[in-house]
Amino acid sequence: MKRYVPIVVLLACATIFAGTFFLLLKSRFEVGDVYPPSSSLRSDPLGTMILFESLQALPGVQTLRDFNAVNRLPPGQATTYLHFAAGADDWTLVPPELYRTLDQFLLEGGRLVITFKPEFSRKDEAGKKEPKKSKSDSEKEADKAKEKEERTSTSTWISLKEKWGLELFRDRNEARGHLVKNVSSLALPATQQWHGDLTLKDPDSSWTVIYQGDKGPVVAERKRGPGSIVVATDSYFVSNEALVRDRQPELLAWLIGSSKTIVFDEAHFGILETPGIAALARKYRLHGGVAALLVLAGLFVWKNSFSLAPPRSAADHSPDVVSGRNAATGFVGLLRRNIPGDRILEVCLEEWRKAFALGSRVTPREKAAVDDIVTAEASLAPRDRDPVGAAQKIHAALHHTPAKSHT
C-alpha cells in the first residue's frame, strides 16, 4: 500500500491545482474584464451585458452575438445590428465589399446602430494638456511618406463622407460630461449627459439630427430604403454603468427600434469564433463522445501503468520449470548416469594411474599401499563395499595423514 502513497498525493495536488485554476478563470470570465470595453460579454461598469440580457428577457425578441470574422451581416428584415464603441478612424474609409454589405443590409430593412468610443486627450493634474513633442525632419519625412502610401493603398476604398454625407469631427477641448439637447420631435429625454468629444460635422439633409451639443450634432438618423442608420458619438449611455446610474429607457428603445432580432457585434473587438474540432463538437453536441474518448484514454494509461492481474508469489512456479545448476553438480550427474556405483572406485583408480602413477611424485611404497586398499575393497561383498571410505584411505596413504571415518 505504501507504494501508492506518492501517486495518491500527486493526484490530490493535481486536483487541487486544477480546481483552483478553474475557479480563477471562472471568476475572471464572470466579471468579464478579460474582454474589451463595451462588449456584451463584460459585466463590469464598462461592458454592455445588462443591455444584452435585458433585451434577451423580452418576449418575442431574439438576441444574438456576432463572432464572425468575415464581413457578413444577418438578413436585414426586422433586424437591428449594434456596433458599439467603434473607432472614428475605422469609419473614414471602408473597403468596397464592406460598404456593399452594409448597403444591402439597409435595403433589406435592417437598422444599423453605430456608437463611437469617447477619446479625450490626457491632461496633467493642473488640467493642462501635455506638450507635444517636436519631431525631427527625418520623422516628418517618414510621416509624409507613410501618409502618401496609405492614401495610395486606400485609393480604391469608399469614403463614407461621400456616400453617407457624414463626417466626424473631434474637439479636443470638449469637456467630459457635457449636456446635449433633444432637437427632434421624438418623445425622448430633453437632455442627455454626453461623454464623447466627437461631433457630426455638417451632416447633409438626408440626416435627421436627434441630439445636438454646443459644438454640433452628436446623434443622427438616416433612412436608406426600408432600413435606417443611427450614429451616436458616445457609447456611455449603453454601458452597464449608465443603465445602473442614469438609465434612459426611451432613448434605448428608440435606438433598438421595432426589430425582433438584435445582434451585438463582438467581432470588431477581436472576439472571434474560429471554426475547428472544438467548435464542431459544440455545434453538433458531441460532448458525450469527447467524454468517452477521455475515459478510454484514461483506461489505456491505467492498463499500461498497472497490471490488472495479481502478482505471482515466489513459490508459485509451474512444474515444468527447471532450476539452474552449477558445473560441479552437472559433472556429478553425468558420472551417475554413465558409471555404475560398484565400479566407481575402479574407474577412478584407472584414471589416477594414467595421470599420476607414471610420474615421480608417487613412490612404490605409496603405490603398493593403494593397491592393497583397492584389493581389500574388491574382496568385500558388493553390499559391504564403501567407495567413499576407500577413496579417503587412498588419500590418507598418499598424503601420509590419518584416514577420516566415514559414516
Side-chain angles (χ1 to χ4, degrees), residues 321-344:
V321 176
V322 179
S323 58
R325 297 184 178 183
N326 54 21
T329 305
F331 178 70
V332 171
L334 182 63
L335 292 177
R336 286 178 178 176
R337 287 195 300 269
N338 293 277
I339 302 175
D342 57 349
R343 293 190 69 250
I344 186 67

Side-chain angles (χ1 to χ4, degrees), residues 18 42 50 61 86 93 95 115 161 189 261 281 292 303 313 374 380 404:
R42 189 161 178 161
I50 294 179
V61 176
L93 296 172
T115 66
K161 176 184 177 181
T261 302
K303 174 181 175 297
S313 61
V374 173
L380 297 174
K404 297 179 180 181

Side-chain angles (χ1 to χ4, degrees), residues 116-120 174-175 177-178 194-198 218 233-234:
F116 292 91
K117 56 185 177 182
E119 296 180 2
F120 291 89
E174 188 65 80
H178 58 281
W194 214 247
H195 296 263
D197 58 352
L198 286 172
V218 294
T233 60
D234 186 19

Side-chain angles (χ1 to χ4, degrees), residues 60-185:
V61 176
Q62 184 182 17
T63 309
L64 306 173
R65 292 185 175 99
D66 183 12
F67 300 105
N68 199 339
V70 183
N71 290 326
R72 184 185 306 165
L73 297 180
Q77 186 176 4
T79 301
T80 298
Y81 194 84
L82 303 177
H83 187 89
F84 291 151
D89 298 333
D90 298 336
W91 287 90
T92 304
L93 296 172
V94 296
E97 61 273 11
L98 176 58
Y99 176 77
R100 288 192 294 267
T101 301
L102 295 174
D103 199 54
Q104 181 65 28
F105 176 78
L106 298 173
L107 292 176
E108 292 176 356
R111 183 173 177 83
L112 177 63
V113 178
I114 304 173
T115 66
F116 292 91
K117 56 185 177 182
E119 296 180 2
F120 291 89
S121 58
R122 292 183 300 174
K123 299 180 180 181
D124 55 15
E125 296 179 357
K128 298 181 180 180
K129 294 183 179 180
E130 294 180 351
K132 296 182 179 180
K133 296 181 180 180
S134 58
K135 295 183 178 180
S136 61
D137 294 339
S138 59
E139 291 177 340
K140 292 179 180 179
E141 292 295 333
D143 292 342
K144 290 181 180 180
K146 183 178 180 181
E147 183 179 356
K148 183 178 179 181
E149 181 181 358
E150 292 178 352
R151 194 184 307 113
T152 303
S153 61
T154 58
S155 59
T156 59
W157 287 23
I158 294 178
S159 172
L160 294 183
K161 176 184 177 181
E162 299 176 358
K163 292 293 183 179
W164 287 357
L166 184 68
E167 184 179 2
L168 296 173
F169 172 73
R170 186 180 301 278
D171 186 3
R172 295 293 184 180
N173 296 321
E174 188 65 80
R176 292 174 180 262
H178 58 281
L179 290 177
V180 295
K181 298 179 180 179
N182 180 11
V183 296
S184 67
S185 58

Side-chain angles (χ1 to χ4, degrees), residues 285-313:
R285 299 181 180 180
L286 300 178
H287 304 83
V290 175
L293 290 177
L294 292 177
V295 171
L296 289 177
L299 292 176
F300 177 77
V301 174
W302 181 33
K303 174 181 175 297
N304 287 274
S305 301
F306 303 97
S307 176
L308 299 181
R312 299 177 60 182
S313 61

